[in-house]
Amino acid sequence: MTDAHVELLEAGCPGLLEGLYLHGSLGFGGEFHGGSDIDFVALTAHRATGDEVEALRSLHAQIDRRWPEPAYDGFYLVAQDLAGSPELVPDVPGTLHQWFDVGTHADVTHITWRELRDHGITVRGTPLGDLDVWSDDAALREATRRNLETYWRSQLAAMEHHPREASLPQAAEWGALGAARLVHLLRTGRPTSKSGAGRWALGDYPTHREIVEEALRVRERPDAPTAYAADPGRRRRDLLAFMAEIIADGLAVAEPLPAEEREAAR
């Protein structure tokens, strides 16, 4: 997939690509699974022109037709963007779940910058270790806390109001491992994969072991038997209980920064 991406870029936008990098699960050795997305960041020689944006739109449509799964998600930056805070990045071209657009990409975040710096994979161009990749511990912590307090709290509330969807196996993987991943970072200061977060939660949240094991099963061994086969409603109840506890714990660990520190982190 990445080879095709590079070939299509060189054919449709010659001279535009300077580097192609992967982040996310692939960067945590041995943690990539068939259902995982493939997340990329492409560095370009200049901001894409209108014609180049349309060429990018066309090439991603070709990639999506050829590989409908897994999702190939990412965006296009110039090197100076990566050298500064993601909060300063302007609207850029990118694709997410087969939707190409120019705007604020969902993965233009502090955690993406940290994953690139510490766990990224160089596909093409200057090795990541030789690039200036900005990262700030206080800003990452504040952004992670804000994500828990806004997005994840609202998702927990939505799941409480949609019992059928919250009872699905995929909800267990998404909710249990996604929330645990953020709290792991707040507790340890280190990013990890969803599987890594699940294994950490098995040790730190033993009373929720069954739902965490279910989340790992869905991610890593989807065809294996499930302990929740006879009662999907219990899967939902266990998931909501675990998410409520771990989100509350994460927010307690990550007290808001003082105003002057929040401003300095931006």
Side-chain angles (χ1 to χ4, degrees):
M1 190 182 292
T2 55
D3 287 345
H5 187 187
V6 171
E7 290 172 8
L8 289 167
L9 272 166
E10 290 177 343
C13 302
L16 182 64
L17 182 68
E18 286 196 335
L20 181 64
Y21 308 95
L22 302 179
H23 65 100
S25 296
L26 277 168
F28 298 90
E31 296 291 2
F32 181 75
H33 303 281
S36 301
D37 297 341
I38 298 175
D39 301 303
F40 75 85
V41 174
L43 291 187
T44 57
H46 54 262
R47 299 278 182 211
T49 65
D51 288 345
E52 286 170 334
V53 166
E54 291 312 306
L56 293 175
R57 189 188 310 277
S58 174
L59 76 84
H60 280 289
Q62 294 179 62
I63 291 172
D64 293 341
R65 285 193 297 270
R66 188 171 174 184
W67 290 284
E69 292 182 352
Y72 188 56
D73 298 332
F75 50 90
Y76 295 81
L77 302 176
V78 294
Q80 69 189 51
D81 293 331
L82 207 54
S85 168
E87 296 182 19
L88 302 178
V89 174
D91 290 349
V92 294
T95 180
L96 182 66
H97 303 319
Q98 300 190 356
W99 178 261
F100 181 88
D101 199 2
V102 177
T104 303
H105 193 280
D107 282 341
V108 177
T109 61
H110 292 276
I111 187 60
T112 294
W113 266 229
R114 180 59 61 90
E115 287 181 354
L116 284 170
R117 192 194 76 175
D118 294 349
H119 301 280
I121 297 171
T122 302
V123 176
R124 177 67 63 93
T126 303
L128 277 165
D130 295 332
L131 285 175
D132 183 8
V133 182
W134 183 94
S135 192
D136 179 271
D137 289 342
L140 175 61
R141 185 177 179 84
E142 176 68 10
T144 303
R145 185 191 194 283
R146 190 163 58 242
N147 194 354
L148 270 182
E149 189 167 36
T150 56
Y151 177 79
W152 280 100
R153 269 187 166 173
S154 69
Q155 292 303 303
L156 177 59
M159 293 170 78
E160 290 170 345
H161 287 89
H162 297 281
R164 189 181 72 81
E165 289 81 359
S167 299
L168 297 173
Q170 293 79 8
E173 178 201 4
W174 173 80
L177 303 183
R181 197 175 187 184
L182 272 68
V183 179
H184 173 275
L185 189 146
L186 290 169
R187 286 268 190 88
T188 68
R190 301 187 308 275
T192 188
S193 66
K194 287 183 177 178
S195 291
R199 292 189 174 85
W200 166 79
L202 288 175
D204 277 44
Y205 292 86
T207 59
H208 297 284
R209 184 175 188 87
E210 198 164 21
I211 191 62
V212 176
E213 287 179 338
E214 171 71 351
L216 288 168
R217 179 198 70 78
V218 176
R219 178 172 175 79
E220 300 176 0
R221 306 176 307 280
D223 296 329
T226 172
Y228 291 92
D231 189 1
R234 182 168 66 88
R235 182 194 285 124
R236 170 184 172 269
R237 293 190 296 272
D238 289 355
L239 173 61
L240 296 183
F242 174 61
M243 288 180 66
E245 181 173 337
I246 199 168
I247 290 170
D249 284 356
L251 292 173
V253 167
E255 290 298 324
L257 293 173
E260 61 272 15
E261 290 187 38
R262 285 202 305 272
E263 207 49 45
R266 293 185 181 281

